[in-house]
Coordinates of all heavy atoms in Angstrom, one line a residue:
M1 N 0.9 -1.3 0.0 CA 0.0 0.0 0.0 C 0.9 1.2 0.0 O 0.6 2.3 -0.8 CB -0.9 0.0 1.2 CG -1.8 1.2 1.3 SD -3.1 1.0 0.0 CE -4.1 2.3 0.5
I2 N 1.8 1.3 0.9 CA 2.8 2.4 0.9 C 3.5 2.7 -0.5 O 3.6 3.7 -0.9 CB 3.8 2.2 2.1 CG1 3.1 2.1 3.4 CG2 4.8 3.4 2.0 CD1 2.7 3.4 4.0
H3 N 3.9 1.5 -1.1 CA 4.4 1.7 -2.4 C 3.6 2.3 -3.5 O 3.9 3.1 -4.2 CB 5.0 0.3 -2.9 CG 5.7 0.3 -4.1 ND1 6.9 0.8 -4.3 CD2 5.4 -0.2 -5.3 CE1 7.2 0.7 -5.5 NE2 6.4 0.0 -6.2
L4 N 2.3 2.0 -3.3 CA 1.2 2.6 -4.3 C 1.2 4.1 -4.1 O 1.1 4.8 -5.0 CB 0.0 1.8 -4.1 CG -1.2 2.2 -5.0 CD1 -0.8 1.8 -6.4 CD2 -2.5 1.6 -4.6
I5 N 1.2 4.5 -2.8 CA 1.0 5.9 -2.5 C 2.3 6.7 -2.9 O 2.2 7.8 -3.6 CB 0.9 6.1 -1.1 CG1 -0.5 5.5 -0.5 CG2 1.1 7.5 -0.6 CD1 -0.7 5.4 0.9
E6 N 3.5 6.0 -2.8 CA 4.8 6.6 -3.3 C 4.7 6.7 -4.8 O 5.2 7.7 -5.3 CB 5.9 5.8 -2.9 CG 6.3 5.8 -1.4 CD 7.4 4.8 -0.9 OE1 7.8 4.0 -1.9 OE2 7.9 4.9 0.2
L7 N 4.1 5.8 -5.5 CA 4.1 5.9 -6.9 C 3.3 6.9 -7.5 O 3.2 7.5 -8.6 CB 3.6 4.5 -7.6 CG 4.7 3.4 -7.5 CD1 4.3 2.1 -7.9 CD2 6.1 3.8 -8.2
H8 N 2.0 7.2 -6.7 CA 0.9 8.1 -7.1 C 0.5 9.1 -6.1 O -0.6 9.1 -5.5 CB -0.3 7.2 -7.6 CG 0.1 6.2 -8.6 ND1 0.2 6.6 -9.9 CD2 0.1 4.9 -8.4 CE1 0.4 5.3 -10.6 NE2 0.4 4.3 -9.6
P9 N 1.5 10.1 -5.7 CA 1.2 11.0 -4.7 C 0.0 12.0 -5.0 O -0.7 12.4 -4.1 CB 2.5 11.7 -4.3 CG 3.2 11.6 -5.6 CD 2.9 10.2 -6.2
A10 N 0.0 12.2 -6.2 CA -1.1 13.0 -6.7 C -2.5 12.6 -6.4 O -3.5 13.2 -6.1 CB -0.9 13.5 -8.2
A11 N -2.6 11.3 -6.7 CA -3.8 10.6 -6.5 C -4.2 10.6 -5.0 O -5.4 10.7 -4.8 CB -3.7 9.0 -7.0
L12 N -3.3 10.4 -4.2 CA -3.6 10.5 -2.7 C -4.1 11.9 -2.4 O -5.0 12.1 -1.6 CB -2.3 10.1 -1.9 CG -2.6 10.3 -0.4 CD1 -3.6 9.3 0.1 CD2 -1.2 10.0 0.3
A13 N -3.4 12.9 -2.9 CA -3.8 14.4 -2.7 C -5.2 14.6 -3.1 O -6.0 15.2 -2.5 CB -2.8 15.4 -3.4
I14 N -5.5 14.1 -4.3 CA -6.9 14.3 -4.8 C -7.9 13.6 -3.9 O -8.9 14.1 -3.7 CB -7.0 13.8 -6.4 CG1 -6.2 14.8 -7.1 CG2 -8.4 13.7 -6.8 CD1 -6.0 14.3 -8.6
L15 N -7.6 12.4 -3.6 CA -8.5 11.6 -2.7 C -8.7 12.4 -1.4 O -9.8 12.4 -0.9 CB -8.0 10.2 -2.3 CG -8.6 9.3 -1.4 CD1 -10.1 9.0 -2.1 CD2 -8.0 8.1 -1.1
C16 N -7.6 12.8 -0.7 CA -7.8 13.6 0.5 C -8.6 14.9 0.4 O -9.5 15.2 1.3 CB -6.3 13.9 1.1 SG -5.4 12.5 1.6
Y17 N -8.4 15.5 -0.7 CA -9.1 16.7 -0.9 C -10.6 16.5 -1.1 O -11.5 17.2 -0.7 CB -8.5 17.6 -2.1 CG -9.3 18.8 -2.3 CD1 -9.0 20.0 -1.5 CD2 -10.2 18.9 -3.4 CE1 -9.8 21.2 -1.8 CE2 -10.9 20.1 -3.5 CZ -10.7 21.3 -2.7 OH -11.5 22.3 -2.8
W18 N -10.9 15.3 -1.9 CA -12.2 15.0 -2.2 C -13.0 14.7 -0.8 O -14.1 15.0 -0.6 CB -12.2 13.8 -3.1 CG -13.6 13.3 -3.4 CD1 -14.6 13.9 -4.2 CD2 -14.2 12.1 -2.9 NE1 -15.7 13.1 -4.2 CE2 -15.5 12.0 -3.4 CE3 -13.7 11.0 -2.1 CZ2 -16.3 11.0 -3.1 CZ3 -14.6 10.0 -1.8 CH2 -15.9 9.9 -2.4
L19 N -12.4 13.9 0.0 CA -12.8 13.6 1.3 C -13.0 14.9 2.1 O -14.2 14.9 2.8 CB -11.9 12.6 2.2 CG -11.9 11.2 1.5 CD1 -10.9 10.3 2.3 CD2 -13.2 10.6 1.7
F20 N -12.0 15.8 2.1 CA -12.2 17.1 2.9 C -13.5 17.9 2.4 O -14.2 18.2 3.2 CB -11.0 17.8 2.8 CG -11.1 19.2 3.2 CD1 -11.2 19.5 4.6 CD2 -11.1 20.4 2.4 CE1 -11.3 20.9 5.1 CE2 -11.2 21.6 2.8 CZ -11.3 21.8 4.2
S21 N -13.6 17.9 1.1 CA -14.7 18.6 0.4 C -16.1 18.0 0.8 O -17.0 18.8 1.1 CB -14.5 18.6 -1.1 OG -15.6 19.5 -1.6
A22 N -16.1 16.6 0.9 CA -17.4 15.9 1.2 C -17.7 16.2 2.6 O -19.0 16.4 3.0 CB -17.1 14.4 0.9
I23 N -16.8 16.1 3.5 CA -17.0 16.4 4.9 C -17.5 17.9 5.2 O -18.4 18.0 5.9 CB -15.8 16.1 5.8 CG1 -15.4 14.5 5.8 CG2 -16.0 16.5 7.2 CD1 -14.1 14.2 6.4
V24 N -16.8 18.7 4.5 CA -17.3 20.2 4.7 C -18.6 20.4 4.0 O -19.5 21.1 4.7 CB -16.3 21.1 3.9 CG1 -16.7 22.6 3.9 CG2 -14.9 21.0 4.8
G25 N -18.9 19.8 2.9 CA -20.3 19.9 2.2 C -21.3 19.3 3.2 O -22.5 19.7 3.0
G26 N -21.0 18.3 4.1 CA -22.0 17.9 4.9 C -22.3 18.6 6.2 O -23.2 18.4 7.0
M27 N -21.5 19.8 6.4 CA -21.8 20.6 7.5 C -23.2 21.2 7.5 O -23.5 21.8 6.4 CB -20.7 21.6 7.6 CG -19.4 21.3 7.9 SD -18.2 22.6 7.9 CE -18.7 23.4 9.5
P28 N -23.9 21.3 8.6 CA -25.1 22.0 8.5 C -25.0 23.6 8.4 O -24.0 24.0 8.9 CB -25.7 21.7 9.9 CG -24.7 21.1 10.9 CD -23.6 20.6 9.9
D29 N -25.9 24.1 7.8 CA -25.8 25.5 7.5 C -26.0 26.3 8.8 O -26.8 25.8 9.6 CB -26.9 26.0 6.5 CG -26.6 25.5 5.1 OD1 -25.4 25.3 4.8 OD2 -27.6 25.4 4.3
P30 N -25.4 27.5 9.0 CA -25.6 28.2 10.2 C -27.0 28.7 10.1 O -27.5 29.1 9.2 CB -24.5 29.3 10.2 CG -23.8 29.1 8.9 CD -24.3 28.0 8.1
D31 N -27.6 28.7 11.4 CA -28.9 29.4 11.5 C -28.9 30.6 12.6 O -27.7 31.0 12.9 CB -29.9 28.4 12.1 CG -29.5 27.6 13.3 OD1 -28.7 28.1 14.0 OD2 -30.2 26.6 13.6
A32 N -30.0 31.0 12.9 CA -30.1 32.2 13.9 C -29.5 31.8 15.1 O -29.0 32.8 15.9 CB -31.4 32.6 14.0
K33 N -29.4 30.6 15.6 CA -28.7 30.2 16.9 C -27.3 30.0 16.9 O -26.7 29.9 17.9 CB -29.5 28.9 17.5 CG -30.9 29.0 17.5 CD -31.5 27.7 18.1 CE -33.0 27.7 18.0 NZ -33.5 26.4 18.3
S34 N -26.7 29.9 15.6 CA -25.3 29.8 15.5 C -24.5 30.9 16.0 O -24.9 31.9 15.7 CB -25.0 29.3 14.1 OG -25.6 28.3 13.6
G35 N -23.5 30.5 16.6 CA -22.6 31.6 17.2 C -21.6 32.1 16.0 O -21.6 31.5 15.0
P36 N -21.0 33.2 16.2 CA -20.2 33.8 15.2 C -18.9 32.8 14.8 O -18.4 32.9 13.7 CB -19.7 35.2 15.8 CG -19.9 35.2 17.2 CD -21.1 34.0 17.4
G37 N -18.5 32.0 15.8 CA -17.4 31.2 15.6 C -17.7 30.2 14.6 O -16.9 29.7 13.7
Y38 N -19.0 29.5 14.7 CA -19.4 28.5 13.9 C -19.6 29.0 12.4 O -19.2 28.4 11.5 CB -20.7 27.8 14.3 CG -21.0 26.8 13.4 CD1 -20.4 25.5 13.3 CD2 -22.1 27.0 12.6 CE1 -20.7 24.5 12.5 CE2 -22.5 26.0 11.6 CZ -22.0 24.7 11.6 OH -22.2 23.7 10.7
R39 N -20.2 30.2 12.4 CA -20.4 30.9 11.0 C -19.0 31.1 10.3 O -18.9 30.8 9.2 CB -21.2 32.1 11.1 CG -22.6 32.0 11.4 CD -23.4 33.2 11.2 NE -23.0 34.1 12.3 CZ -23.9 34.3 13.4 NH1 -25.1 33.7 13.5 NH2 -23.5 35.2 14.3
W40 N -18.0 31.6 11.1 CA -16.8 31.8 10.6 C -16.1 30.5 10.1 O -15.6 30.4 8.9 CB -15.8 32.5 11.5 CG -14.5 32.7 11.0 CD1 -14.0 33.8 10.3 CD2 -13.3 31.9 11.3 NE1 -12.8 33.7 9.9 CE2 -12.2 32.5 10.6 CE3 -13.1 30.8 12.0 CZ2 -11.0 31.9 10.6 CZ3 -11.8 30.2 11.9 CH2 -10.8 30.9 11.2
V41 N -16.1 29.4 11.0 CA -15.6 28.2 10.5 C -16.2 27.7 9.3 O -15.7 27.1 8.4 CB -15.6 27.2 11.7 CG1 -15.2 25.6 11.3 CG2 -14.6 27.6 12.8
H42 N -17.6 27.7 9.3 CA -18.4 27.2 8.2 C -18.0 27.8 6.9 O -17.7 27.2 6.0 CB -20.0 27.5 8.6 CG -20.9 26.9 7.5 ND1 -21.2 27.8 6.4 CD2 -21.5 25.6 7.3 CE1 -22.0 27.1 5.5 NE2 -22.1 26.0 6.0
N43 N -18.0 29.2 6.9 CA -17.6 29.9 5.7 C -16.2 29.7 5.3 O -16.1 29.5 4.1 CB -18.0 31.4 5.8 CG -19.5 31.7 6.0 OD1 -20.3 30.9 5.8 ND2 -19.7 32.8 6.6
S44 N -15.3 29.7 6.2 CA -13.9 29.6 5.9 C -13.7 28.2 5.2 O -13.0 28.1 4.3 CB -13.1 29.7 7.1 OG -13.2 31.0 7.5
L45 N -14.2 27.2 5.9 CA -13.9 25.9 5.3 C -14.7 25.7 3.9 O -14.2 24.8 3.0 CB -14.5 24.7 6.4 CG -13.6 24.6 7.6 CD1 -14.3 23.6 8.5 CD2 -12.3 24.1 7.3
H46 N -15.9 26.2 3.7 CA -16.4 26.1 2.4 C -15.6 26.8 1.3 O -15.5 26.4 0.2 CB -17.9 26.7 2.5 CG -18.8 25.7 2.9 ND1 -19.3 24.7 2.2 CD2 -19.4 25.5 4.1 CE1 -20.2 23.9 2.8 NE2 -20.2 24.4 4.0
I47 N -15.0 27.9 1.7 CA -14.1 28.5 0.8 C -12.9 27.6 0.5 O -12.3 27.6 -0.6 CB -13.7 29.9 1.3 CG1 -14.8 30.9 1.3 CG2 -12.4 30.5 0.5 CD1 -14.4 32.2 2.0
L48 N -12.3 27.1 1.5 CA -11.1 26.1 1.3 C -11.6 25.0 0.4 O -10.7 24.5 -0.2 CB -10.5 25.8 2.7 CG -9.8 26.7 3.3 CD1 -9.4 26.2 4.8 CD2 -8.5 27.1 2.6
A49 N -12.7 24.6 0.6 CA -13.2 23.4 -0.1 C -13.6 23.6 -1.5 O -14.0 22.7 -2.2 CB -14.5 22.6 0.8
G50 N -13.7 24.9 -1.8 CA -14.0 25.3 -3.2 C -15.5 25.6 -3.4 O -16.0 25.6 -4.5
N51 N -16.2 25.5 -2.3 CA -17.8 25.8 -2.2 C -18.0 27.1 -2.2 O -18.7 27.7 -1.3 CB -18.3 24.8 -1.2 CG -18.1 23.4 -1.3 OD1 -17.7 22.9 -2.3 ND2 -18.1 22.7 -0.2
L52 N -17.6 27.9 -3.1 CA -17.7 29.3 -3.0 C -19.1 29.9 -3.1 O -19.5 30.8 -2.4 CB -16.9 30.1 -4.1 CG -15.4 29.8 -4.1 CD1 -14.8 30.6 -5.3 CD2 -14.8 30.4 -2.8
T53 N -19.9 29.2 -3.8 CA -21.4 29.5 -3.9 C -22.1 29.5 -2.4 O -22.7 30.3 -2.0 CB -22.1 28.6 -4.7 OG1 -21.6 28.8 -6.1 CG2 -23.6 29.0 -4.9
T54 N -21.7 28.2 -1.7 CA -22.3 28.1 -0.4 C -21.7 29.3 0.5 O -22.5 29.8 1.4 CB -22.0 26.7 0.2 OG1 -22.5 25.8 -0.7 CG2 -22.5 26.4 1.5
A55 N -20.5 29.5 0.5 CA -19.8 30.5 1.4 C -20.5 32.0 1.2 O -20.8 32.5 2.1 CB -18.3 30.6 1.2
V56 N -20.7 32.3 -0.1 CA -21.2 33.7 -0.5 C -22.6 33.7 -0.1 O -23.1 34.7 0.6 CB -21.0 33.9 -2.0 CG1 -21.9 35.2 -2.3 CG2 -19.5 34.1 -2.3
Q57 N -23.4 32.6 -0.3 CA -24.8 32.6 0.1 C -25.0 32.7 1.7 O -25.9 33.3 2.0 CB -25.6 31.4 -0.5 CG -25.9 31.5 -2.0 CD -26.5 30.3 -2.4 OE1 -26.6 29.2 -1.8 NE2 -26.8 30.3 -3.8
A58 N -24.1 32.1 2.4 CA -24.2 32.2 3.8 C -23.8 33.6 4.3 O -24.5 34.1 5.3 CB -23.2 31.2 4.4
K59 N -22.9 34.4 3.6 CA -22.6 35.7 3.9 C -23.6 36.7 3.5 O -23.9 37.7 4.1 CB -21.3 36.0 3.3 CG -20.7 37.4 3.7 CD -20.1 37.5 5.0 CE -19.5 38.9 5.3 NZ -19.2 39.2 6.6
Y60 N -24.2 36.4 2.3 CA -25.1 37.3 1.7 C -26.5 36.5 1.3 O -26.5 36.3 0.1 CB -24.5 38.0 0.4 CG -23.2 38.7 0.7 CD1 -21.9 38.2 0.5 CD2 -23.4 40.0 1.3 CE1 -20.9 38.9 0.6 CE2 -22.1 40.6 1.6 CZ -20.9 40.2 1.3 OH -19.8 40.8 1.6
P61 N -27.3 36.2 2.2 CA -28.5 35.5 1.8 C -29.4 36.1 1.0 O -30.2 35.4 0.2 CB -29.2 35.4 3.2 CG -28.5 36.3 4.3 CD -27.1 36.7 3.5
E62 N -29.4 37.5 0.8 CA -30.2 38.0 -0.2 C -29.9 37.8 -1.6 O -30.8 38.0 -2.6 CB -30.3 39.7 0.1 CG -29.0 40.4 -0.2 CD -28.0 40.3 1.0 OE1 -28.3 39.7 2.0 OE2 -26.9 40.9 0.8
M63 N -28.7 37.3 -1.8 CA -28.3 36.9 -3.2 C -28.5 35.4 -3.6 O -28.4 35.0 -4.7 CB -26.7 37.1 -3.3 CG -26.3 38.6 -3.2 SD -24.5 38.8 -3.3 CE -24.1 38.2 -5.0
A64 N -29.0 34.8 -2.7 CA -29.3 33.3 -2.9 C -30.5 33.1 -3.9 O -31.5 34.0 -3.8 CB -29.7 32.7 -1.6
I65 N -30.4 32.2 -4.7 CA -31.5 31.8 -5.6 C -32.4 31.0 -4.9 O -32.1 30.0 -4.4 CB -30.9 31.1 -6.9 CG1 -30.0 31.9 -7.5 CG2 -32.1 30.6 -7.8 CD1 -29.1 31.1 -8.7
P66 N -33.8 31.4 -4.8 CA -34.8 30.6 -4.1 C -34.9 29.2 -4.5 O -34.7 28.9 -5.7 CB -36.0 31.4 -4.4 CG -35.7 32.7 -4.9 CD -34.3 32.6 -5.5
A67 N -35.1 28.3 -3.7 CA -35.3 26.9 -4.0 C -36.4 26.7 -5.0 O -37.4 27.3 -4.8 CB -35.5 26.0 -2.8
G68 N -36.3 25.9 -5.9 CA -37.4 25.5 -6.8 C -37.4 26.5 -8.0 O -38.1 26.4 -8.9
S69 N -36.5 27.5 -7.9 CA -36.5 28.5 -9.1 C -35.6 28.1 -10.2 O -34.6 27.2 -9.8 CB -36.2 29.9 -8.7 OG -34.9 29.9 -8.1
S70 N -35.7 28.6 -11.3 CA -34.8 28.3 -12.4 C -34.3 29.5 -13.0 O -35.0 30.4 -13.0 CB -35.4 27.3 -13.4 OG -36.6 27.8 -14.1
M71 N -33.2 29.3 -13.8 CA -32.6 30.4 -14.4 C -32.7 30.1 -16.0 O -32.6 29.0 -16.3 CB -31.1 30.7 -14.0 CG -31.1 31.0 -12.6 SD -29.4 31.3 -12.1 CE -29.0 33.0 -12.9
E72 N -32.9 31.3 -16.7 CA -32.9 31.1 -18.1 C -32.0 32.1 -18.7 O -32.0 33.3 -18.4 CB -34.4 31.4 -18.6 CG -34.7 31.2 -20.1 CD -36.0 31.6 -20.5 OE1 -37.0 31.2 -19.6 OE2 -36.3 32.1 -21.5
H73 N -31.2 31.6 -19.7 CA -30.4 32.5 -20.5 C -31.0 32.8 -21.8 O -31.4 32.0 -22.5 CB -29.0 31.8 -20.7 CG -28.1 32.5 -21.6 ND1 -27.5 33.7 -21.2 CD2 -27.8 32.3 -22.9 CE1 -26.7 34.1 -22.3 NE2 -26.8 33.3 -23.3
R74 N -31.1 34.1 -22.0 CA -31.8 34.5 -23.2 C -30.6 35.2 -24.1 O -29.9 36.1 -23.6 CB -32.8 35.4 -23.0 CG -34.1 34.7 -22.4 CD -35.2 35.7 -22.2 NE -36.3 34.9 -21.6 CZ -37.5 35.5 -21.5 NH1 -37.8 36.6 -22.0 NH2 -38.4 34.8 -20.8
E75 N -30.7 35.0 -25.3 CA -29.6 35.6 -26.2 C -30.3 36.3 -27.2 O -31.4 35.9 -27.8 CB -28.7 34.4 -26.9 CG -27.6 35.0 -27.6 CD -26.6 33.9 -28.1 OE1 -26.6 32.9 -27.5 OE2 -26.3 34.0 -29.2
T76 N -29.9 37.6 -27.5 CA -30.4 38.4 -28.5 C -29.3 38.7 -29.5 O -28.1 38.8 -29.1 CB -31.0 39.8 -27.9 OG1 -29.9 40.4 -27.3 CG2 -32.1 39.4 -26.9
T77 N -29.8 39.1 -30.7 CA -28.9 39.4 -31.7 C -29.3 40.8 -32.3 O -30.5 41.0 -32.6 CB -28.9 38.5 -32.9 OG1 -28.7 37.1 -32.3 CG2 -27.9 38.8 -34.0
T78 N -28.3 41.7 -32.2 CA -28.6 43.0 -32.8 C -27.9 43.1 -34.2 O -26.7 42.9 -34.2 CB -28.1 44.1 -31.9 OG1 -28.6 43.9 -30.6 CG2 -28.3 45.5 -32.3
V79 N -28.6 43.6 -35.2 CA -27.9 43.6 -36.5 C -28.0 45.2 -36.9 O -28.9 45.9 -36.7 CB -28.8 43.0 -37.5 CG1 -28.2 43.2 -38.9 CG2 -28.9 41.5 -37.2
T80 N -26.8 45.7 -37.2 CA -26.7 47.1 -37.6 C -26.4 47.1 -39.1 O -25.6 46.4 -39.7 CB -25.7 47.8 -36.7 OG1 -24.5 47.2 -36.9 CG2 -26.0 47.8 -35.3
T81 N -27.0 48.2 -39.7 CA -26.6 48.4 -41.2 C -26.0 49.8 -41.2 O -26.6 50.7 -40.5 CB -27.8 48.1 -41.9 OG1 -28.9 49.1 -41.4 CG2 -28.3 46.8 -42.1
P82 N -25.1 49.9 -42.1 CA -24.5 51.2 -42.3 C -25.5 52.2 -43.0 O -26.3 51.7 -43.8 CB -23.2 51.1 -43.1 CG -23.5 49.6 -43.7 CD -24.4 48.9 -42.9
L83 N -25.5 53.4 -42.6 CA -26.2 54.5 -43.3 C -25.7 54.7 -44.6 O -24.5 54.7 -44.9 CB -26.3 55.7 -42.3 CG -26.9 55.6 -41.1 CD1 -26.9 56.9 -40.3 CD2 -28.5 55.2 -41.3
P84 N -26.6 55.0 -45.7 CA -26.0 55.3 -47.0 C -25.4 56.7 -47.0 O -25.3 57.6 -46.3 CB -27.2 55.3 -47.9 CG -28.6 55.3 -47.0 CD -28.0 55.0 -45.7

């Protein structure tokens, strides 16, 4: 097993990061009863885990997309013609 880790250290790093991210993703969201320490730890770990959306929504709840809503991308094309 040790020999396998020595041959593939990047795979071990990816596995450890994936586990860390999964554990952080399972943390309960802070609520009104949560202290400032838990909110700080929650937001900081989500940033480290790459969950920036979760961290920003916890800091700025008014920016959160409501559950059940969907977003739609609309593309428009503007055609201009030169004047004679």
Side-chain angles (χ1 to χ4, degrees):
M1 181 70 169
I2 299 288
H3 183 66
L4 184 64
I5 293 171
E6 289 174 353
L7 288 175
H8 306 286
L12 177 65
I14 291 169
L15 176 66
C16 289
Y17 183 76
W18 179 74
L19 288 172
F20 169 74
S21 182
I23 290 169
V24 170
M27 292 177 69
D29 291 331
D31 56 13
K33 298 177 192 173
S34 301
Y38 180 75
R39 282 191 293 257
W40 179 82
V41 168
H42 178 272
N43 294 344
S44 298
L45 289 178
H46 276 281
I47 289 171
L48 285 174
N51 302 334
L52 296 178
T53 303
T54 304
V56 170
Q57 286 179 352
K59 180 76 173 169
Y60 303 103
E62 65 276 2
M63 294 178 63
I65 298 171
S69 65
S70 62
M71 298 183 69
E72 181 181 326
H73 173 75
R74 293 184 184 191
E75 188 172 322
T76 59
T77 304
T78 304
V79 179
T80 59
T81 56
L83 294 173

